[in-house]
Amino acid sequence: MSDRAAQRKKDAKDAAIYVAARSLAGMLFLITYVIALHRYTELEFQYVAAVLLVYESAIALGSLGLPDAVFYFIGKTPERAAAIVRQVSALLLGASFPVIAIAAVAAIAMSDDNVDLVAAIPWLAAVILVELPTQPAVNQLIAHGYAGTASALFFGFAVLRTGAVLLPLVTPLSITIIPPVMAVLGLTRLAAHVIILWRLYPLPPGERWFDKVSLKTIMLWAIPAGMAATVGKINPQIDKYTVKLMLGGEVFTHYTAAALEIPLVTMIPYAIGAVMQVRYVRLFAQGDVGELRALWYHNVEKTIAVVLPLAILLIVTAPEVVLLLASEKHAHGATVPFQIFTIVLLHRVAAYGSMLQATNQTPVLVKTSLLILGSNLILTVPCTLAFGAYGAAIATVIANVPAWLLTLDRIGRAMGGTARDALPWRFYLRALALTAALGGALWLVRPHVALGAGMRLLVMSIGFMAVYLVAARLARLLTTDDLRLVRRWLTLGVWK
């Protein structure tokens, strides 16, 4: 086996492990929401959803793309890794203070006679103060070649967060204990961060990490990248705030149930991009555009082959998925918004931000961020007034289109061409046509599957994926190695 082939095999294994871990962590978070929807009362769930919304918004705002800066700067100057990880954490610590103020305002705005978040503000502030500076811990491990350990750490943090949210269900404690417990458990992130710095990134004797020029360089790189990452997380939250303020708490509960993301689908592009970004950076820096394009196409094709069938399957089986996840009391109001949200997955077949960053096009991320944010702000309120919760979901999906087109144009230019060269379009269209045809067939068969919701979902999913694997192999969308990897995932062999 050649060195290049061996490297690709290792990359594939690292990406698979990281995808699996992030998917498991995301699934745990999804399960947390599901249990909360089923077990908490309407008002209690409103409190949980509001706390988590403010928390997630704060972390998204404060991240500024800095955790991902670890990949770029360590990939570019590995000899300065020890200083880089400290500089990134220091910048995140500085960002935490204005973010705490914004989170406090959001908590006050989300409060009403039924849900009061004001008392939670000091605890949410403590969570932000600890979690933001320690966010790069997982990325530091990946950059150092410890994808397995990074995956375990990421999943461990998810377990602790789940424990905090569900604690009132297994103890006599009030629902208001969740923010304090989140703050206390957040200290584990600080401990992990300190250990990683001590063991993997010790500062060489005589070297100082505080350097104003380096801090400024990282910050200038992170601002555009951070805007893209922040907008990507904030964009699907704007509509939640709009629904809460315009349509009230009950509709907000249904809408939150509809906005649940299936982790495996959403994590795949990000995880592959995280594992591959260091290689993208090095190939572009070396001027090897041909190998960069080949690696990019290879990764995108593998992502397409997984994401598209899962997205189509979710759209078709949405009534069963929402009924099982959100319970019958939310199913009627959440099913159609869930289907609308899932449509956006059809374009999430690549880690676009990672490629723009690797090809020194981080300013483009500012433009795409403003496009997404501006489009959503312009569309959300009138669409919500016109179509209610459905309109808010439609606005969120449409807001992604202009930015996506601009991103494709810039990635295509980096590949030496146009938007036609940004993705393996023939592969994408063949995969979309195949999965759409299979989805249409399943939609016609679905009413005739006379089983309970859970069994119907299971039978339809197994049938759809079995037919897809055969059809995709015949259509040359999947290779024999891909099928072997599927078998390894199903038998947990990917961890070996």
Side-chain angles (χ1 to χ4, degrees):
M1 182 182 296
S2 66
D3 291 342
R4 180 174 295 178
Q7 182 62 52
R8 284 193 176 181
K9 184 176 180 180
K10 181 182 182 302
D11 289 341
K13 181 178 180 180
D14 287 348
I17 291 173
Y18 194 43
V19 166
R22 289 191 69 98
S23 297
L24 287 172
M27 188 62 70
L28 189 60
F29 194 49
L30 175 63
I31 291 171
T32 303
Y33 265 108
V34 171
I35 294 174
L37 281 164
H38 283 264
R39 296 290 305 278
Y40 284 126
T41 66
E42 185 85 13
L43 291 180
E44 286 175 336
F45 180 75
Q46 284 186 36
Y47 180 86
V48 172
V51 165
L52 292 178
L53 180 58
V54 172
Y55 158 75
E56 291 168 5
S57 300
I59 297 302
L61 283 171
S63 296
L64 297 174
L66 285 165
D68 290 340
V70 169
F71 295 130
Y72 180 82
F73 286 97
I74 289 181
K76 194 172 183 180
T77 54
E79 69 280 0
R80 297 193 61 253
I84 289 168
V85 295
R86 287 164 174 78
Q87 290 162 352
V88 169
S89 292
L91 290 170
L92 284 166
L93 179 61
S96 65
F97 296 102
V99 168
I100 288 172
I102 295 172
V105 173
I108 293 170
M110 292 287 283
S111 298
D112 54 30
D113 293 337
N114 295 320
V115 176
D116 181 16
L117 298 185
V118 175
I121 290 175
W123 297 109
L124 288 172
V127 173
I128 295 166
L129 193 61
V130 171
E131 185 160 332
L132 270 183
T134 60
Q135 263 201 315
V138 171
N139 290 359
Q140 290 165 5
L141 286 170
I142 293 174
H144 209 77
Y146 291 95
T149 305
S151 302
L153 188 64
F154 188 88
F155 183 71
F157 292 153
V159 170
L160 294 177
R161 180 175 55 187
T162 295
V165 174
L166 300 183
L167 185 63
L169 290 176
V170 295
T171 67
L173 298 173
S174 163
I175 195 79
T176 57
I177 197 65
I178 292 176
V181 174
M182 289 175 63
V184 173
L185 294 181
L187 294 175
T188 59
R189 299 183 67 105
L190 179 61
H193 187 72
V194 171
I195 291 171
I196 291 169
L197 291 182
W198 173 52
R199 296 291 299 272
L200 299 182
Y201 295 98
L203 201 63
E207 182 177 344
R208 297 178 60 188
W209 66 266
F210 187 82
D211 183 307
K212 291 183 179 180
V213 175
S214 296
L215 288 168
K216 182 179 179 180
T217 300
I218 294 173
M219 193 64 188
L220 290 176
W221 180 92
I223 287 174
M227 287 186 66
T230 298
V231 168
K233 295 175 181 177
I234 292 295
N235 187 48
Q237 295 175 353
I238 290 174
D239 49 324
K240 292 181 184 178
Y241 286 105
T242 303
V243 168
K244 175 67 166 64
L245 297 175
M246 292 181 63
L247 303 179
E250 183 178 354
V251 179
F252 170 69
T253 302
H254 298 325
Y255 195 79
T256 300
L260 297 177
E261 288 189 337
I262 306 301
L264 177 62
V265 186
T266 56
M267 292 299 178
I268 288 171
Y270 174 81
I272 291 177
V275 172
M276 298 295 179
Q277 188 168 5
V278 171
R279 290 199 63 207
Y280 291 158
V281 170
R282 289 175 181 170
L283 287 171
F284 187 76
Q286 294 165 3
D288 194 348
V289 176
E291 174 60 16
L292 177 62
R293 184 191 300 111
L295 181 61
W296 170 251
Y297 280 11
H298 174 80
N299 292 333
V300 172
E301 286 177 359
K302 300 307 179 188
T303 307
I304 288 171
V306 176
V307 169
L308 289 191
L310 291 177
I312 295 295
L313 178 62
L314 284 173
I315 293 172
V316 174
T317 60
E320 289 75 24
V321 172
V322 173
L323 181 62
L324 292 172
L325 295 184
S327 79
E328 190 173 354
K329 61 184 177 181
H330 301 295
H332 177 71
T335 298
V336 174
F338 179 84
Q339 290 174 312
I340 296 170
F341 281 128
T342 307
I343 291 172
V344 81
L345 297 178
L346 299 178
H347 94 290
R348 290 186 181 175
V349 294
Y352 303 106
S354 296
M355 180 53 69
L356 288 173
Q357 293 167 15
T359 54
N360 293 329
Q361 296 192 85
T362 50
V364 177
L365 295 172
V366 176
K367 297 179 181 179
T368 57
S369 300
L370 294 176
L371 272 175
I372 294 174
L373 188 60
S375 300
N376 206 355
L377 290 173
I378 291 171
L379 293 171
T380 298
V381 172
C383 285
T384 302
L385 287 172
F387 305 108
Y390 294 177
I394 291 170
T396 300
V397 173
I398 295 176
N400 286 276
V401 175
W404 186 50
L405 296 177
L406 175 61
T407 298
L408 293 176
D409 176 67
R410 295 308 177 89
I411 290 178
R413 291 187 189 184
M415 300 294 180
T418 64
R420 296 178 62 182
D421 303 289
L423 295 175
W425 287 108
R426 290 184 180 179
F427 188 96
Y428 177 82
L429 293 176
R430 283 194 293 127
L432 183 61
L434 175 62
T435 53
L438 294 178
L442 183 61
W443 183 261
L444 296 175
V445 171
R446 180 180 164 274
H448 304 289
V449 183
L451 298 169
M455 284 303 298
R456 188 162 65 249
L457 177 60
L458 179 63
V459 169
M460 288 192 297
S461 299
I462 292 175
F464 179 89
M465 294 310 298
V467 173
Y468 169 73
L469 290 175
V470 174
R473 182 68 186 93
L474 294 174
R476 298 183 180 179
L477 298 176
L478 294 174
T479 66
T480 304
D481 287 341
D482 294 330
L483 295 179
R484 289 198 191 100
L485 183 59
V486 170
R487 180 178 59 80
R488 291 183 64 207
W489 271 58
L490 295 176
T491 59
L492 301 181
V494 72
W495 298 99
K496 299 176 182 178

